[in-house]
Amino acid sequence: MTKESDSGELTFATELQRLMDQQDPPMEIKEVAKKIGISYEHARKLVRGLTVPTDWLCRNLARFFAVDAGLFAALAQKDRFEKKYGESHQIPVSDEGLTKLASNWQLLTDRQKQVLLSQLTLFLAQNLRKVGAGHGAVA
């Protein structure tokens, strides 16, 4: 698993790196490790996408960055699932909803895009939990 997929897919690592970069000045890995109370090596692996955080760590990072813990938890769950079962399946380009979204993406504000991506991540994590729990494919 890498920090960012070729498709620019949102992962726990990409979101963590984005939040670190948004700080003024941008945070370094050693600062995150110290503030959260984890080792530098563990923080480095989180930022690089080499490990998936525990629920406890998701909550503490969310609290520290003042973001929704649900997003971190959903991203971690999605990453955990992909690490265990492989990369997600791609949505067909001919999908009407995806085509509509792609053709209107530039009309959305950055905040609206962030909200949409956050919601998508939460929906995916919810569906992945259902599939992982043996409920079969989600329709």
Side-chain angles (χ1 to χ4, degrees), residues 23-37:
Q23 304 304 304
D24 189 23
M27 288 187 79
E28 294 185 13
I29 294 171
K30 64 183 175 185
E31 294 173 274
V32 172
K34 185 176 180 181
K35 299 275 185 185
I36 301 301

Side-chain angles (χ1 to χ4, degrees), residues 16-32 64-65:
L16 179 57
Q17 184 66 63
R18 184 187 70 76
L19 290 167
M20 290 170 57
D21 291 344
Q22 280 185 340
Q23 304 304 304
D24 189 23
M27 288 187 79
E28 294 185 13
I29 294 171
K30 64 183 175 185
E31 294 173 274
V32 172
F64 174 75
F65 286 108

Side-chain angles (χ1 to χ4, degrees), residues 15 21 29-30 51 79 81 89 97 107-108 111 118 128 136:
E15 183 63 9
D21 291 344
I29 294 171
K30 64 183 175 185
T51 192
D79 291 352
F81 185 88
H89 298 289
L107 300 175
L108 300 173
R111 178 68 183 139
S118 295
L128 291 173

Side-chain angles (χ1 to χ4, degrees), residues 5-106:
S5 68
D6 293 337
S7 64
E9 182 181 357
L10 185 62
T11 65
F12 178 86
T14 58
E15 183 63 9
L16 179 57
Q17 184 66 63
R18 184 187 70 76
L19 290 167
M20 290 170 57
D21 291 344
Q22 280 185 340
Q23 304 304 304
D24 189 23
M27 288 187 79
E28 294 185 13
I29 294 171
K30 64 183 175 185
E31 294 173 274
V32 172
K34 185 176 180 181
K35 299 275 185 185
I36 301 301
I38 59 175
S39 70
Y40 170 82
E41 185 61 19
H42 190 62
R44 184 189 70 77
K45 287 180 179 180
L46 288 169
V47 172
R48 300 291 179 249
L50 301 174
T51 192
V52 181
T54 62
D55 291 339
W56 175 86
L57 192 50
C58 284
R59 286 190 305 274
N60 284 322
L61 284 165
R63 190 176 308 119
F64 174 75
F65 286 108
V67 297
D68 178 23
L71 174 61
F72 268 164
L75 289 171
Q77 178 69 22
K78 180 176 125 338
D79 291 352
R80 220 175 271 116
F81 185 88
E82 286 182 359
K83 189 172 189 172
K84 185 173 182 178
Y85 299 107
E87 292 293 319
S88 321
H89 298 289
Q90 295 293 322
I91 299 172
V93 177
S94 62
D95 183 270
E96 182 181 335
L98 182 59
T99 302
K100 183 176 183 179
L101 179 62
S103 63
N104 292 292
W105 188 254
Q106 72 282 0

